[in-house]
Amino acid sequence: MTSILGYALLGLLAREPCSGYDLSRKMQKPISFFWRARHSQIYPELAKLEAQSLVTYTVVEQQDQPDKKVYTITSAGEDALRKWVSTPMDVSMLRDELILRAYSLWLASPDEARQLFLTHAQLHSEQLNMYEAVLQEMLAESHIQQVDSPQFGSYAVLMLGIGYERMYSEWCYWVAQQLEHGVTK
Amino acid sequence: MTSILGYALLGLLAREPCSGYDLSRKMQKPISFFWRARHSQIYPELAKLEAQSLVTYTVVEQQDQPDKKVYTITSAGEDALRKWVSTPMDVSMLRDELILRAYSLWLASPDEARQLFLTHAQLHSEQLNMYEAVLQEMLAESHIQQVDSPQFGSYAVLMLGIGYERMYSEWCYWVAQQLEHGVTK
DNA sequence: GCTGACATGTAACGTGTTACATGATTTT
DNA sequence: AAAATCATGTAACACGTTACATGTCAGC
């Protein structure tokens, strides 16, 4: 009944009340949060959540900025979110264009393809560095081992992000190296 | 103009001519091929590729089985595919429901959540074992270092798959362990 | 007056999933 | 006769992206 995006929004609202605009900004950058969405998807989804009484909102009037609707999760919303987290599910599919391209690498010019993979190795490597910097901050300040604190959720997601970016960038470098030294007919 | 699915189909047809049904079966299982699609998407896409003259088909009459349309990639199709492989692109987004759930783990019952993550650790671990068995076969038989052979494409994708499943299953085990030994308020 | 950040929506389009629909041939 | 596999399609719906559309307020 509630979409995955709905649960993503509930997950953010379970931490702190937000406006649609706030949620929209949080879902643009991949720092500790992978599921991205545009505001054009967020506003209608918030309306659906409100219709199901999983969130409520109050209009906050502002002098220095335009008025806004601040959404808060309800206890019914928290229950739905809590239940969803542990419900059995199928393994999600990996849908990555670069991997699909790799499948047809043998057709391409090794030099041009090598350039593409080096670029992506670099991009994922930078993302890795960024995540590792965030991890250092996290380890320093907060009680991330406390599994019932929101910080633990962020920590768990960040650890996956670090593993993913490390694995991905190494793979890109490896492909580039194969294209450089690989045998040709 | 051509969708990613279109290039996925061209990538398969560049290796050998196939019917829509053949392509459909190849795109159901994730062995060396990650981009999955249903036949309801494949048949219309083949029609679009044919309209652009990137593929052609001939009707093959069979006695023991129903007749079929066997599609072959054209040289224009091969050119389009080759060009696409090395064209600059943005980093693909990771859209994984379990990661999103991890973000709200702090709300869940540690026991139930631990069970979910152990189940997924197991599933990814099995996928890893399967990929590693395929790799052993690959290393034994064919010229996978030859970067202009189709086998190299399969090899490259398989290596990513192995790295991904290893990283993912280890992360699931780590999360489960955290939930077991983690501090609670 | 213009630009930029804040703020909230809708519409059109493309992609992907589920369900509907049909029919041949082989095996049980 | 029924079930399984082969074989090809369409339709309805859900999800996601891009573009359209409007309006406030602050700073230049």
Side-chain angles (χ1 to χ4, degrees):
Chain A
M1 196 161 173
T2 303
S3 68
I4 297 184
L5 173 62
Y7 289 114
L9 297 176
L10 289 176
L12 288 167
L13 292 172
R15 291 161 178 241
E16 53 170 344
C18 290
S19 67
Y21 189 79
D22 293 335
L23 292 167
S24 170
R25 272 179 315 169
K26 282 175 198 248
M27 297 200 71
Q28 268 165 39
K29 291 186 181 175
I31 304 161
S32 298
F33 203 77
F34 292 82
W35 205 279
R36 271 172 279 173
R38 321 263 170 186
H39 77 273
S40 59
Q41 222 186 334
I42 291 169
Y43 289 115
E45 190 62 39
L46 280 171
K48 283 180 201 167
L49 293 174
E50 205 255 324
Q52 297 173 259
S53 300
L54 302 176
V55 300
T56 51
Y57 71 89
T58 50
V59 175
V60 173
E61 288 174 28
Q62 297 181 120
Q63 285 82 43
D64 52 334
Q65 261 139 26
D67 298 355
K68 62 179 174 179
K69 290 184 183 177
V70 174
Y71 287 85
T72 309
I73 194 167
T74 62
S75 59
E78 223 176 84
D79 287 347
L81 181 59
R82 195 194 332 276
K83 199 183 159 191
W84 168 75
V85 171
S86 303
T87 300
M89 59 169 276
D90 289 337
V91 171
S92 295
M93 176 190 166
L94 186 57
R95 223 180 252 282
D96 185 286
E97 187 172 335
L98 195 65
I99 305 174
L100 186 62
R101 291 188 184 198
Y103 189 71
S104 297
L105 258 185
W106 59 285
L107 273 173
S109 137
D111 282 347
E112 286 173 34
R114 193 174 145 266
Q115 198 47 58
L116 178 69
F117 278 80
L118 281 178
T119 301
H120 281 256
Q122 193 67 39
L123 290 168
H124 285 281
S125 185
E126 280 162 19
Q127 191 64 251
L128 172 61
N129 290 337
M130 203 266 273
Y131 286 160
E132 277 180 334
V134 175
L135 177 63
Q136 289 312 312
E137 286 171 44
M138 254 192 202
L139 290 170
E141 55 175 68
S142 63
H143 33 277
I144 50 177
Q145 293 166 63
Q146 214 168 288
V147 296
D148 56 357
S149 76
Q151 287 87 344
F152 174 70
S154 302
Y155 177 45
V157 170
L158 187 61
M159 288 302 279
L160 185 284
I162 288 172
Y164 178 76
E165 298 300 345
R166 179 175 297 135
M167 180 281 297
Y168 204 109
S169 66
E170 276 172 13
W171 176 69
C172 289
Y173 280 124
W174 175 81
V175 171
Q177 201 175 46
Q178 293 288 311
L179 290 169
E180 202 174 358
H181 302 301
V183 183
T184 311
K185 247 179 287 188
Chain B
M1 197 163 174
T2 303
S3 67
I4 296 183
L5 174 62
Y7 289 114
L9 298 176
L10 289 176
L12 287 166
L13 292 172
R15 290 161 179 240
E16 53 170 345
C18 291
S19 67
Y21 189 78
D22 293 335
L23 292 168
S24 169
R25 273 179 314 169
K26 281 173 198 251
M27 296 200 73
Q28 267 165 40
K29 292 186 179 175
I31 305 161
S32 297
F33 203 76
F34 292 80
W35 206 277
R36 269 172 281 172
R38 321 264 168 186
H39 76 273
S40 59
Q41 221 187 333
I42 291 168
Y43 288 114
E45 189 63 39
L46 279 170
K48 282 180 201 165
L49 292 174
E50 205 254 324
Q52 295 173 82
S53 299
L54 301 177
V55 300
T56 51
Y57 72 89
T58 50
V59 176
V60 173
E61 290 175 27
Q62 298 181 120
Q63 284 84 42
D64 53 333
Q65 261 141 24
D67 298 356
K68 62 179 176 181
K69 290 183 181 177
V70 173
Y71 287 85
T72 309
I73 194 167
T74 63
S75 58
E78 223 175 84
D79 287 347
L81 180 59
R82 194 194 333 276
K83 199 183 161 193
W84 169 74
V85 171
S86 303
T87 300
M89 59 170 274
D90 288 337
V91 170
S92 295
M93 173 189 167
L94 185 57
R95 223 180 253 280
D96 185 284
E97 188 173 335
L98 195 64
I99 306 174
L100 185 62
R101 291 188 183 199
Y103 188 71
S104 297
L105 259 186
W106 58 285
L107 274 175
S109 139
D111 283 347
E112 286 173 34
R114 193 173 145 267
Q115 199 47 61
L116 179 69
F117 278 80
L118 281 178
T119 301
H120 281 256
Q122 193 66 38
L123 290 169
H124 286 280
S125 184
E126 280 162 20
Q127 191 65 251
L128 172 62
N129 289 337
M130 203 265 273
Y131 286 160
E132 277 180 334
V134 175
L135 178 63
Q136 289 313 311
E137 286 172 43
M138 251 190 203
L139 289 170
E141 56 175 66
S142 64
H143 33 274
I144 51 178
Q145 293 166 63
Q146 214 166 289
V147 297
D148 57 356
S149 77
Q151 286 88 343
F152 174 70
S154 301
Y155 177 44
V157 170
L158 187 61
M159 289 300 278
L160 184 285
I162 287 172
Y164 179 76
E165 299 298 347
R166 178 175 297 137
M167 179 281 298
Y168 204 110
S169 66
E170 276 172 13
W171 176 71
C172 290
Y173 280 124
W174 176 82
V175 171
Q177 203 174 44
Q178 293 288 311
L179 290 170
E180 203 174 356
H181 303 301
V183 184
T184 313
K185 248 180 283 183

